[in-house]
Amino acid sequence: MKKHIILLSFLGMLFHSCMDEPVIQPNSYEGNFNALWEIIDSKYCYLDYKNIDWDSIYTAYHQRIPYIKTDLDFFDFLGKMLEELKDGHVNLYSGFDVSRYWKWYTDYPENFSSDIIYSDRYLGENYRIAGGMRYQKIDNGNIGYIYYGDFTSDFSGTNIGYIFKYFSNCKGIILDVRNNGGGYMSGAEQLASYFFTEKTLTGYLCHKTGPGHTDFSTPIKLFTPANKNVQWLRPVVILTNRMTYSATNDFVNRMRKAPYAIILGDKTGGGGGMPLSSEIPNGWMVRVPTSPMFDANMQHIEWGIDPDINIALKPEDAARGYDTLIERAVALIKFL
Amino acid sequence: MIQNTGISLKQKNMIKHSSCRFGLIKPSLIAGILIIVCFSINAQSSNQSEKALTTSTNTFGFSTINMLDSYLSPLKYSGSGFRYENDNRKFVSPENISLSKENHFKMNFGLTENPAQTSEMWYLGMNFSWGMHHHFYINENLLLLAGCLWDLDFMGKTNSRNQNNPFNIDLGTNLNLSGEAVYRIRTPKRMLRLGFSMQAPFIGVMFVPEQGASYYEIFELQNFSNTLHFTSLHNKLSLTENLSLDIPFNHTTLRFGFRNENLKFEANQMIFKRNDLSFHVGYIYDFYKFEGTKNRAPSGFNSTYNY
């Protein structure tokens, strides 16, 4: 009996040791720094792809910790370390600030003017709104123009059906997703589905499975289905700029395979990694991409998607109240 | 059990008192009365077969909880919540008082916070279990039970601050070993019932997402690969202890108790943990269920359904 008790106790200890709990860093500058560094080291999906030597970044930044005196300084210090990842999806959230990396669009021409698209030449004052989409007929009613600036604005098949019906006499439509910083991935898939005639492979997705930099799941195929009820089977030109990011980047990637679609404008901003949230001991939240997305050829879309026609907003056109991209899209649709 | 025992003791006392009186009455009269009594007892036995009552317990509790969900956060969250539990137990057959069957429903919900109190995590848990226990009557006061329970366990947790991983589900089914000890404490006014039970899963299946997988990928793209895991003592340890004291009053029997639940499991290189300590109060009653066409209520029982 005594032997059995000892054996059971031993087994119990063995089982417990198999499930060692992760070490929670203390809530100090040192502890929070280590916690953040470990989160990135174990979860961030682009360390190898971007050739980032995260260990050397630890060494470079760790030595600066003793000189940090305030929480504000500490926040800026951690934000600076996260900037090394060059990723717009990586943010640190505190009660007083949000760290961000915006160079993916601030280092490039904007190629978009809100004043111009809301001028009488395009949307004007009497544009219509359905499911977050602002739409109007332009070029004497020959072309439909839709501006969609946020993939967190829900829309339905009914919304899209009304819009397409409104444009039923148009030769083609322009779908402007410039300055659309993303939102729901499901929205990207849904919007793309109205321009497909059959279910099409448009990309791949995988995710981190462990702390190793190469611990990834087997990529799964991302299909874009064809909507059964509403389809636009005429030319559609997608307008992009560097602020076309995240879920919108995924939308553009899908539209590359749509049969009547042309991508026009600047390269998109990218943001191909789907971010999950984590936190450090002082309660600051960090957003970290863990799921890289790829195009149909298994190429990363983290750095953006090249348009079919690369064109910039010309200052002289802008001075006249013309949007070079829209004008080119109108000409293109008329030509097709 | 308490009520059954109470009735039998009462009957014994009645017989005892009766025999004292019988000593004062003439033998012929005694014989006559005995014949009548025997006939009446025979008549009763033939009319009423024994029925197994269901003992139902409803408890309400307040708990303090600590949890670690590595999918949602690397930090331990702590807080408090409420719990409700309904237990039903009856003998498998009225003649066999060594084997009982039972079902349990537990529900708990509450709110936890991270140590810095900058983030909240809500949880809602439900557990359904069915099983059997063998009753070992050690002596007239001590009863031991050993058995097995199969359960379906669910706990949803949501951390509204998170993006793309705002909630997680602990979903599993387990075969549990269960043991219970009941000790009757006789006091001059009433008989108390002190109970202690333990329950631990030893085999099952659970759902655990991979650490980098978003719920978009799992549920919208339906990529369930590596989310279902066989569980046993190597990756899931849990122990639920329950200490209770039942006190019968004139019209109800109340239960007061403490419950301690410890759960720890590991999958996909993540550790999950939950410690829940609760104080609960409840009430106990026995009932008999009349249902269907073959088991209709006898005359004398009015029902709003069978009016």
Side-chain angles (χ1 to χ4, degrees):
Chain A
M1 185 65 185
K2 199 175 177 182
K3 274 184 183 176
H4 288 136
I5 291 170
I6 293 168
L7 184 65
L8 282 172
S9 307
F10 174 74
L11 284 172
M13 286 165 64
L14 187 69
F15 295 141
H16 269 284
S17 64
C18 289
M19 290 197 279
D20 286 337
E21 288 177 40
V23 176
I24 296 177
Q25 296 284 345
N27 185 9
S28 59
Y29 288 154
E30 172 87 20
N32 282 294
F33 171 82
N34 286 333
L36 183 62
W37 186 89
E38 281 170 16
I39 287 169
I40 300 298
D41 188 53
S42 60
K43 293 180 187 290
Y44 186 57
C45 62
Y46 290 126
L47 286 175
D48 278 9
Y49 173 65
K50 294 182 177 179
N51 288 319
I52 296 167
D53 186 350
W54 197 237
D55 289 334
S56 66
I57 285 174
Y58 179 92
T59 309
Y61 279 83
H62 184 260
Q63 60 194 1
R64 300 185 210 168
I65 295 173
Y67 305 103
I68 295 169
K69 301 297 176 198
T70 68
D71 284 357
L72 211 60
D73 289 343
F74 184 56
F75 181 85
D76 292 341
F77 163 74
L78 293 182
K80 208 75 185 166
M81 183 173 79
L82 294 178
E83 270 186 34
E84 303 277 0
L85 301 173
K86 295 180 172 56
D87 195 317
H89 273 149
V90 177
N91 302 97
L92 184 66
Y93 297 80
S94 71
F96 52 84
D97 202 0
V98 178
S99 78
R100 64 270 180 190
Y101 175 80
W102 281 349
K103 288 186 176 175
W104 46 273
Y105 72 89
T106 54
D107 281 359
Y108 300 87
E110 192 176 358
N111 289 318
F112 179 77
S113 166
S114 179
D115 289 342
I116 294 175
I117 69 158
Y118 283 102
S119 69
D120 288 340
R121 185 170 178 81
Y122 304 114
L123 284 175
E125 288 182 354
N126 298 318
Y127 60 85
R128 298 176 188 279
I129 305 175
M133 300 196 184
R134 287 141 202 263
Y135 62 103
Q136 181 66 283
K137 287 177 188 169
I138 61 172
D139 192 51
N140 298 319
N142 291 318
I143 308 288
Y145 173 76
I146 305 169
Y147 180 70
Y148 186 52
D150 187 356
F151 264 103
T152 58
S153 299
D154 284 330
F155 57 85
S156 66
T158 309
N159 297 137
I160 303 297
Y162 277 121
I163 295 172
F164 287 177
K165 193 176 176 185
Y166 185 68
F167 292 152
S168 59
N169 294 323
C170 297
K171 196 174 178 196
I173 60 174
I174 297 167
L175 179 51
D176 192 344
V177 290
R178 288 175 293 174
N179 281 31
N180 185 328
Y184 304 127
M185 288 285 295
S186 50
E189 180 189 316
Q190 187 186 343
L191 185 57
S193 72
Y194 301 116
F195 301 97
F196 279 78
T197 52
E198 60 184 357
K199 185 180 175 184
T200 307
L201 174 68
T202 48
Y204 292 87
L205 172 79
C206 65
H207 58 257
K208 283 296 298 289
T209 55
H213 294 185
T214 55
D215 293 344
F216 287 101
S217 64
T218 306
I220 59 162
K221 291 176 179 175
L222 294 178
F223 290 96
T224 301
N227 192 282
K228 289 174 185 170
N229 303 316
V230 183
Q231 287 182 6
W232 181 265
L233 302 178
R234 276 175 266 174
V236 53
V237 178
I238 313 298
L239 303 188
T240 57
N241 68 351
R242 288 294 299 183
M243 278 192 77
T244 300
Y245 194 72
S246 190
T248 321
N249 191 57
D250 175 54
F251 168 72
V252 174
N253 178 52
R254 289 172 188 271
M255 290 301 289
R256 287 202 287 185
K257 293 287 180 183
Y260 302 99
I262 295 170
I263 317 297
L264 185 147
D266 199 359
K267 186 176 186 175
T268 62
M274 190 181 292
L276 300 192
S277 300
S278 189
E279 60 186 326
I280 57 177
N282 63 4
W284 295 350
M285 187 187 92
V286 58
R287 206 165 68 130
V288 189
T290 61
S291 303
M293 284 188 283
F294 307 86
D295 66 13
N297 299 316
M298 268 306 286
Q299 299 300 308
H300 279 282
I301 57 171
E302 164 67 1
W303 295 126
I305 295 160
D306 285 315
D308 298 318
I309 300 170
N310 197 325
I311 187 167
L313 182 66
K314 292 178 182 170
E316 57 269 29
D317 285 347
R320 290 191 300 145
Y322 282 28
D323 187 310
T324 317
L325 282 74
I326 297 177
E327 296 299 327
R328 182 65 187 275
V330 168
L332 192 63
I333 291 170
K334 283 180 171 176
F335 176 76
L336 291 171
Chain B
M1 283 304 301
I2 290 171
Q3 291 190 5
N4 287 344
T5 312
I7 289 166
S8 60
L9 285 169
K10 204 174 173 184
Q11 284 172 337
K12 282 177 187 172
N13 288 338
M14 281 172 67
I15 292 167
K16 203 174 172 183
H17 287 305
S18 302
S19 59
C20 291
R21 285 181 201 150
F22 289 167
L24 304 171
I25 304 170
K26 289 180 181 177
S28 57
L29 191 59
I30 294 170
I33 292 169
L34 276 174
I35 289 165
I36 294 165
V37 167
C38 285
F39 271 113
S40 68
I41 289 170
N42 282 338
Q44 273 189 339
S45 332
S46 60
N47 288 339
Q48 291 185 346
S49 60
E50 282 195 50
K51 306 282 188 190
L53 291 171
T54 301
T55 302
S56 184
T57 310
N58 288 283
T59 56
F60 305 87
F62 175 79
S63 30
T64 58
I65 189 165
N66 295 295
M67 60 167 74
L68 171 68
D69 185 315
S70 298
Y71 179 76
L72 295 174
S73 168
L75 305 180
K76 283 180 184 166
Y77 278 59
S78 57
S80 54
F82 294 94
R83 71 162 46 240
Y84 164 74
E85 185 168 342
N86 172 253
D87 305 324
N88 294 295
R89 176 181 282 170
K90 68 184 285 190
F91 287 120
V92 171
S93 73
E95 296 82 19
N96 181 3
I97 61 164
S98 61
L99 195 63
S100 65
K101 58 182 181 180
E102 62 199 69
N103 62 69
H104 305 266
F105 168 67
K106 299 175 207 162
M107 194 175 92
N108 58 342
F109 65 94
L111 176 65
T112 59
E113 284 183 318
N114 65 359
Q117 298 182 319
T118 58
S119 178
E120 293 177 342
M121 197 187 293
W122 286 93
Y123 67 89
L124 171 67
M126 274 186 266
N127 181 288
F128 300 89
S129 60
W130 301 265
M132 297 180 100
H133 276 96
H134 197 280
H135 296 230
F136 301 94
Y137 299 93
I138 307 302
N139 58 43
E140 63 175 0
N141 290 326
L142 181 62
L143 167 66
L144 297 179
L145 296 92
C148 206
L149 290 164
W150 171 57
D151 77 2
L152 289 173
D153 191 49
F154 164 88
M155 178 170 271
K157 289 167 277 186
T158 176
N159 189 328
S160 55
R161 191 170 72 155
N162 283 8
Q163 294 176 4
N164 293 320
N165 57 334
F167 59 92
N168 192 15
I169 299 170
D170 295 345
L171 188 62
T173 181
N174 307 285
L175 211 50
N176 299 273
L177 292 176
S178 173
E180 194 172 331
V182 178
Y183 188 76
R184 292 184 187 123
I185 305 166
R186 295 169 195 278
T187 66
K189 283 192 172 179
R190 50 180 64 90
M191 186 157 62
L192 309 180
R193 188 179 192 269
L194 186 66
F196 178 73
S197 65
M198 291 172 76
Q199 189 182 313
F202 69 96
I203 195 168
V205 178
M206 66 179 175
F207 166 87
V208 177
E210 285 197 301
Q211 54 181 272
S214 64
Y215 267 60
Y216 167 77
E217 182 180 349
I218 297 167
F219 290 110
E220 295 208 30
L221 302 178
Q222 299 190 335
N223 180 16
F224 293 103
S225 63
N226 215 21
T227 56
L228 282 182
H229 300 265
F230 166 77
T231 61
S232 192
L233 299 177
H234 67 290
N235 63 352
K236 185 172 190 175
L237 291 172
S238 176
L239 184 64
T240 302
E241 299 156 292
N242 207 338
L243 179 68
S244 64
L245 179 68
D246 298 342
I247 307 173
F249 293 95
N250 284 348
H251 298 289
T252 187
T253 300
L254 292 182
R255 169 168 291 182
F256 302 92
F258 287 98
R259 168 187 283 273
N260 185 27
E261 279 186 20
N262 293 299
L263 168 68
K264 189 177 179 183
F265 58 93
E266 185 269 334
N268 291 333
Q269 302 184 59
M270 289 185 290
I271 295 279
F272 299 81
K273 204 177 166 185
R274 201 161 73 215
N275 299 322
D276 186 329
L277 179 67
S278 64
F279 170 73
H280 56 258
V281 179
Y283 60 97
I284 305 159
Y285 60 93
D286 284 342
F287 70 90
Y288 185 80
K289 195 159 59 174
F290 298 107
E291 57 189 346
T293 53
K294 290 186 177 175
N295 192 19
R296 302 187 68 162
S299 59
F301 288 82
N302 289 330
S303 162
T304 55
Y305 186 76
N306 297 313
Y307 52 89

